[in-house]
Amino acid sequence: MTHPRLAASVTELHISYWLPGLVLTAALVIKLPSILKLWRDPLLRAVGGLLLFACAVFACAAPSTIAWTNRVTGVPNIAAPWVYSLITALSASWLLLVVHWRNGLTDRSAETRRATRWVVCVYAAVVVALWTLFALADVPVEQIRDLDTYYASTPFMREEILLYLLAQAVACSITTRLVWNWIRTDGLDGWLRWGLRFLGVGFATNLLFSAAKFTAVVARWTGHDLDWLNTNIAPSAACIAATLVAIGFIVPHAGQYLQERWLVRRRHRGLRPLARLMRTVAGSREPLALRATPEMRLIRRETYIRDALLQLSRFLDEDLRVRSYDAALALGHDRGRAQALAAAVTLLDAVGSGQRSAAGDGTGEPDTTYLLQEIQAVSEVLHSPDEIKAVRARAAVPAESMSTHEYRVFPGDDSRTPSRNAGRQG
């Protein structure tokens, strides 16, 4: 049987407050290693402070936490200046973020240090003023969800509410404008630009929080009741804004991480045809380690292939490679594709049944530089057996029927290779 007090606590748990708190915590955990490693970087400290204060705001602003704070301290509404102070500190962290990051770059100038001191002093003074005004105000009736409108006309409390809303709105407006300026900066990484977009929308949504609060308070002054803006719209806007800001910090890290993993796995899969071809040379499969990281598996496959290529190098027919390159160009392939096709034809000829000894009779010193460096391109063309077959057939055509120049420079070679017709001209 569920205990009544426990059931009440669960009922009071507002998912709209704790969900953005969890997302913000996840963003903080992701950024924390970089923050601790590069603690001297003021930009990273500003990011860490922003996420930390944002987590604290949603943890302390939840109705269940407000009620608990008031009950433990024994002071009605003592949670109000505490939450207001956290919101003010969060607003200051927004400004510190834009102060230390101008035009997308970390700024360490004397002007930046002065701006930092100014922000810290002004917002610290606001926090002191918030607690002073609360001490002077008479707020005996506890209000968990609608304190801002309930005490909108109460002396000193009225000024406190306006002060924290003004500090929050000013910081949010400046941050929103500068973030959207950064989005238009040239040369930004794609994932970083998407992260900035989420930050920009998140900070802009925070303005809706301020507007809803201000409107509800002013309505109380004029004798109207728009408390639903304070109790429904403002908290929802704050939760959405916090979630978007957290996603804005997560997207660059998560996106780059997933992209790097995808590229590694793609390279590993792309080398599979060449690795299979090299089994006949190495006489065994490549080493397999189930617990190895994707990067380690890629390194092992690349090492396996290059070792096998070195064993095969003495059987490579340089003359066949040159003729295959000429043939690939004649078939309309670009230079990079032609190189890869020529290398593939030469490899298949060297490992083919009954052709290894013939390959050893080829003319020219084999050049394995391209082959060892561009194993990805060579493996890719092995997926196109029809193209390889066409190049092989074209390369087998007698040299007299091929249109060539007197000298042909093979990419990657330092010396010129005389064409077959050069000795016959004249």
Side-chain angles (χ1 to χ4, degrees):
M1 181 176 179
T2 305
H3 193 279
R5 187 180 297 275
L6 177 61
S9 300
V10 173
T11 302
E12 293 176 0
L13 183 62
H14 284 65
I15 191 66
S16 59
Y17 285 88
W18 294 107
L19 181 59
L22 291 175
V23 179
L24 287 164
T25 302
L28 180 59
V29 170
I30 291 174
K31 295 288 295 184
L32 192 58
S34 299
I35 295 172
L36 295 178
K37 183 178 180 180
L38 303 173
W39 178 250
R40 294 183 179 274
D41 189 336
L43 176 61
L44 286 176
R45 290 203 302 269
V47 171
L50 187 155
L51 293 173
L52 184 62
F53 283 122
C55 292
V57 165
F58 281 93
C60 296
S64 57
T65 308
I66 291 176
W68 178 86
T69 303
N70 294 336
R71 184 174 65 254
V72 169
T73 59
V75 179
N77 299 310
I78 189 67
W82 173 241
V83 174
Y84 294 165
S85 298
L86 290 174
I87 293 176
T88 302
L90 176 61
S91 302
S93 69
W94 296 343
L95 290 176
L96 292 177
L97 178 68
V98 299
V99 163
H100 290 291
W101 190 13
R102 298 177 180 179
N103 296 323
L105 300 175
T106 302
D107 193 342
R108 299 174 180 269
S109 65
E111 180 183 358
T112 297
R113 291 192 292 271
R114 287 194 298 270
T116 299
R117 288 194 294 269
W118 184 87
V119 170
V120 171
C121 291
V122 168
Y123 277 79
V126 171
V127 171
V128 172
L130 291 174
W131 285 96
T132 302
L133 290 169
F134 180 78
L136 297 174
D138 183 19
V139 286
V141 181
E142 183 183 49
Q143 296 296 317
I144 303 298
R145 296 177 177 83
D146 58 350
L147 183 143
D148 289 356
T149 50
Y150 187 88
Y151 289 110
S153 300
T154 302
F156 299 112
M157 198 63 194
R158 172 185 57 218
E159 287 76 11
E160 176 172 1
I161 294 169
L162 290 177
L163 181 60
Y164 98 84
L165 288 177
L166 180 62
Q168 192 265 355
V170 169
C172 190
S173 300
I174 296 174
T175 306
T176 301
R177 180 174 61 85
L178 291 181
V179 166
W180 283 105
N181 288 339
W182 295 342
I183 294 174
R184 293 188 289 270
T185 302
D186 294 332
L188 285 182
D189 174 76
W191 290 109
L192 177 58
R193 195 181 300 276
W194 271 107
L196 287 174
R197 288 193 180 104
F198 278 105
L199 288 177
V201 175
F203 288 125
T205 307
N206 260 318
L207 291 174
L208 179 59
F209 167 85
S210 301
K213 288 275 188 180
F214 271 122
T215 303
V217 169
V218 172
R220 277 295 185 116
W221 294 347
T222 58
H224 298 84
D225 185 356
L226 294 178
D227 290 4
W228 59 273
L229 290 174
N230 178 50
T231 56
N232 297 327
I233 301 301
S236 299
C239 294
I240 294 173
T243 303
L244 291 173
V245 169
I247 293 175
F249 284 111
I250 292 174
V251 162
H253 286 269
Q256 291 171 3
Y257 174 83
L258 294 176
Q259 183 178 23
E260 290 172 359
R261 291 299 174 274
W262 179 78
L263 290 175
V264 168
R265 293 181 183 277
R266 180 183 177 185
R267 284 182 58 85
H268 186 266
R269 290 195 303 269
L271 290 173
R272 185 180 299 167
L274 188 54
R276 288 177 176 174
L277 181 62
M278 292 299 101
R279 290 176 187 174
T280 58
V281 179
S284 62
R285 294 176 176 268
E286 61 184 291
L288 178 61
L290 297 178
R291 296 186 179 182
T293 62
E295 292 84 358
M296 183 57 65
R297 288 198 293 270
L298 174 61
I299 292 173
R300 289 182 176 180
R301 175 163 285 183
E302 290 177 339
T303 303
Y304 170 80
I305 291 173
R306 290 192 173 98
D307 288 344
L309 288 174
L310 289 175
Q311 296 179 38
L312 190 65
S313 61
R314 67 181 183 274
F315 300 113
L316 298 178
D317 188 344
E318 182 69 11
D319 184 60
L320 176 61
R321 184 177 72 127
V322 174
R323 287 187 284 110
S324 298
Y325 176 71
D326 292 341
L329 290 178
L331 290 172
H333 296 288
D334 59 64
R335 293 168 64 89
R337 185 74 173 180
Q339 283 181 279
L341 286 167
V345 169
T346 308
L347 284 178
L348 291 170
D349 180 78
V351 301
S353 175
Q355 296 181 357
R356 179 167 297 185
S357 59
D361 296 332
T363 61
E365 185 69 22
D367 180 14
T368 58
T369 302
Y370 170 81
L371 194 57
L372 293 174
Q373 290 179 348
E374 302 297 333
I375 56 177
Q376 194 75 41
V378 176
S379 184
E380 180 183 346
V381 300
L382 291 175
H383 284 291
S384 306
D386 292 339
E387 292 184 10
I388 295 175
K389 184 177 179 181
V391 171
R392 186 196 297 272
R394 180 86 178 191
V397 175
E400 291 81 358
S401 64
M402 296 181 63
S403 175
T404 60
H405 297 85
E406 181 176 359
Y407 288 97
R408 186 180 308 282
V409 180
F410 193 89
D413 289 348
D414 295 330
S415 60
R416 292 184 173 181
T417 303
S419 68
R420 288 184 170 271
N421 290 341
R424 298 180 173 83
Q425 292 177 355

